[in-house]
Amino acid sequence: QLVQSGAEVKKPGASVTVSCKASGYTFTSFGINWVRQAPGQGLEWMGWMSANNGNINYAQKFLDRVTMTTDTSTATAFMELRSLRSDDTAVYYCVRGSSFDSWGQGTRVTVSP
Amino acid sequence: QSVLTQPPSASGAPGQSVTISCSGSSSNIGTNTVNWYQQLPGTAPKLLISGNDQRASGVPGRFSGSKSGTSASLAISGLHSEDEADYFCGTWDDSLSVFYVFGTGTKVTVL
């Protein structure tokens, strides 16, 4: 099970950090993906981080604005997105592993002046 | 930004069958296995099919997946009202700009 932090409202230019706490499995056995969905839109993959060795792959679109981390002591993954814009308004999901077999409930991030 | 193309909508009466297509390229579907995800209204997506044709745990047998070349398909045989949802395909992509890509999504309506 993946449980995410609550909704956020941010101003343009600010940063947001979303957390994703894992339970029910060995955290370091799977990586964590981050996927977002803008209102009424499809799914967009942002990146992936191994919870075992720290390897990271970011989508090129987010390379300069996103940082993904994990805390193995608390089995929690984090995604920080900086320099927020209005088009970053979306629901952000953490998703387990290369099979995308377990999804968090989503965190709504609203970017508004 | 989706590189996998799906029809925007599909529909059928209860008990009928629908098939959703997902068209990609040699760098994604042509090389990697395809997953399908179901997103019920107001909820997070959930894994439906992995590895082209393997139903996830608890998924009814009326859902089936297949792949041929650079395209994949999801079939729902014997529609139930609870199948009304958005469906997305997804797969890894061997390009350098993005590693995982999703389809544009298909809204299935049960008439």
Side-chain angles (χ1 to χ4, degrees), chain A residues 8 10 14-18 79-82 84 92 107 109:
Chain A
E8 302 264 12
K10 296 291 183 181
S15 299
V16 68
T17 297
V18 179
M79 187 280 299
E80 179 194 29
L81 189 61
R82 301 177 293 278
L84 290 168
Y92 290 75
T107 297
V109 175

Side-chain angles (χ1 to χ4, degrees), chain B residues 25-96:
Chain B
S25 69
S26 58
S27 69
N28 43 65
I29 294 179
T31 308
N32 300 292
T33 60
V34 177
N35 286 3
W36 288 92
Y37 306 92
Q38 177 192 59
Q39 186 174 32
L40 297 170
T43 69
K46 78 166 193 178
L47 179 66
L48 203 62
I49 300 281
S50 65
N52 300 328
D53 58 10
Q54 302 300 303
R55 282 187 299 276
S57 175
V59 173
R62 63 181 181 273
F63 292 93
S64 63
S66 64
K67 186 186 105 167
S68 178
T70 58
S71 293
S73 295
L74 172 71
I76 311 173
S77 59
L79 272 172
H80 289 205
S81 58
E82 60 264 33
D83 298 335
E84 187 159 294
D86 293 321
Y87 293 84
F88 297 90
C89 56
T91 186
W92 294 97
D93 193 297
D94 294 347
S95 71
L96 294 178

Side-chain angles (χ1 to χ4, degrees), chain A residues 33 35 37 42-45 57-61 93 98-101 103-104, chain B residues 1-2 35 37 39 43-47 88 92 96-100 102 104:
Chain A
N33 298 274
V35 174
Q37 186 172 35
L43 302 170
E44 182 177 28
W45 183 82
N57 287 315
Y58 296 142
Q60 190 168 35
K61 173 179 179 177
Y93 296 102
S98 58
S99 293
F100 291 70
D101 61 1
W103 293 62
Chain B
Q1 55 255 6
S2 297
N35 286 3
Y37 306 92
Q39 186 174 32
T43 69
K46 78 166 193 178
L47 179 66
F88 297 90
W92 294 97
L96 294 178
S97 62
V98 62
F99 290 85
Y100 197 87
F102 290 98
T104 49

Side-chain angles (χ1 to χ4, degrees), chain A residues 41-64:
Chain A
Q41 301 301 308
L43 302 170
E44 182 177 28
W45 183 82
M46 300 178 67
W48 168 90
M49 180 172 186
S50 167
N52 179 36
N53 58 19
N55 285 348
I56 297 175
N57 287 315
Y58 296 142
Q60 190 168 35
K61 173 179 179 177
F62 301 102
L63 263 178
D64 58 347

